[in-house]
Amino acid sequence: MESTRRAAPSPAFAPAPTPSVAHRTVDGYLMATFPWYGLDDAYTGPRWLMQVGTAADGTVEHGSTGHGEQPSLRLEADPHEQRFAVVVTVASRPQRKSADGTGTLEATSVSSAAWLAGSGLLSCTWPTHMDRALRQDWLDQQTALAWDLADHLGADGWSSLTLPVDGVPTSFHYRDSAYGWVLAGSGDDGVHIGAYGRGLSAYGLGFSVIADLAAYDRPRPAADA
């Protein structure tokens, strides 16, 4: 059986859109048949759209919204000084056929949200002691580890964290690392919620359905890759 992890498009960090492509980004979010989540109104900082992930038939499967400072991959940037949180919304999907009709894809789950959040954090992380030429090998290795961790949410390294989702206390799986934190849980609207960040404490966050995407339609300068 083909794993949802490997079938889903990569959530690799993408800079917020420039004005010339902002409308196309918004269109992708508007095509979704599920609600999008972001940080609740207790967060008053900048908000920005990232990207959506689609299935082979164009169906929107997941997407991310950013909060705070846009992560930078500049070698001279200190990742520990960056303050951001990204919320990943994953549609709840049952087991379904693969695009070519020859196999099936696993249903999406909290593990799907955990993997998307974990790999998203890695993709906006730069080990400052590492040569640029070696980063892809490091990223591939760490992404494989993120797959395994997401498949074992009850194992050591994960703890439980209760945060409000639309005002309702909700249990999340939480993991902290040298590069930031990752968490994953489920909402009540047929979605799974993942999040990752750095510099902003996960313990003080809350999530809610985004009522107006225009609040996120604020193009920001692209980060250096």
Side-chain angles (χ1 to χ4, degrees), residues 49-72:
L49 295 177
M50 293 178 69
Q51 64 182 30
V52 300
T54 60
D57 62 0
T59 301
V60 177
E61 297 277 353
H62 62 83
S64 303
T65 54
H67 309 75
E69 302 170 1
Q70 184 171 312
S72 172

Side-chain angles (χ1 to χ4, degrees), residues 90-214:
V90 185
S92 179
R93 304 292 191 202
Q95 189 179 83
R96 58 213 189 277
K97 289 185 177 181
S98 60
D100 59 9
T102 60
T104 58
L105 303 178
E106 292 178 4
T108 57
S109 66
V110 176
S111 290
S112 306
W115 172 66
L116 288 165
S119 56
L121 178 62
L122 289 170
S123 65
C124 62
T125 297
W126 185 279
T128 54
H129 64 280
M130 184 179 296
D131 185 87
R132 179 182 290 266
L134 299 177
R135 183 174 187 270
Q136 188 58 53
D137 290 339
W138 174 87
L139 187 59
D140 291 343
Q141 181 186 57
Q142 295 299 311
T143 300
L145 178 60
W147 286 347
D148 292 335
L149 290 171
D151 275 346
H152 300 88
L153 292 176
D156 292 342
W158 291 98
S159 60
S160 180
L161 180 62
T162 299
L163 298 172
V165 177
D166 292 321
V168 178
T170 302
S171 180
F172 285 86
H173 299 275
Y174 172 79
R175 180 179 178 84
D176 204 355
S177 75
Y179 304 112
W181 51 262
V182 171
L183 58 81
S186 293
D188 291 330
D189 296 303
V191 300
H192 305 292
I193 301 171
Y196 61 92
R198 202 161 41 224
L200 296 176
S201 173
Y203 287 85
L205 302 182
F207 306 97
S208 63
V209 171
I210 298 174
D212 184 6
L213 283 171

